[in-house]
Amino acid sequence: MRKTMARFIRAVAVVATGVAVATGLAVLNAPAASAGGCVPPVCGGVWNNTSKTMSVTINLGSGSGHCDVWNYDGGTTNKFKYAKCDQLGLGRGTFGGPRNKPPYFDVDAFTYNGQGYHERFGPLGTWHWRTKGVWTKIRDYQFATCNMDDGQIWCTILPL
């Protein structure tokens, strides 16, 4: 009986691990955000927990304005592009991603036009300085959380 139970538990663990790996690979291979609408949970989003106005775009690559994006591929290395976009102002609060109610919006990128900000990818990532008006692209499965400390803006991009 003990051997049968151990085999059963091992089989369940193997199946659960397989599902977890497959889900992780699907998220890792998800395309970068580039459209206004989305289907949760695969939607880029932001939380502006500062007293400053954040700018977001939900149509990177089209629109009547422009965004100077330092990481146009959504990665952590410099791939600068002067891209078409429309800019939306966001005061303190959450926008985009699965944390909103329908209709869902997929945030493609964010910036602060009034002042520079620090950004990092992941809770242990290296901080980088971005001058005001330089955009950071986020992918469909990422959420940017921005806070203020001593008058400076600190944004961490995390997976959902």
Side-chain angles (χ1 to χ4, degrees), residues 61-139:
S62 64
S64 58
H66 288 91
C67 296
D68 293 328
V69 185
W70 71 268
N71 65 332
Y72 192 74
D73 67 346
T76 59
T77 58
N78 287 326
K79 296 215 167 113
F80 186 87
K81 184 167 183 172
Y82 182 69
K84 288 185 174 186
C85 74
D86 289 320
Q87 300 183 18
L88 307 167
L90 175 66
R92 185 181 296 264
T94 303
F95 183 77
R99 296 179 181 166
N100 279 2
K101 294 181 174 137
Y104 297 102
F105 291 97
D106 179 16
V107 174
D108 296 333
F110 72 93
T111 192
Y112 287 87
N113 287 319
Q115 77 178 69
Y117 62 98
H118 303 271
E119 60 75 14
R120 68 177 174 180
F121 283 79
L124 302 176
T126 303
W127 289 107
H128 297 98
W129 174 251
R130 303 295 167 203
T131 57
K132 64 182 177 180
V134 172
W135 291 73
T136 296
K137 183 170 182 173
I138 58 174
R139 294 186 173 164

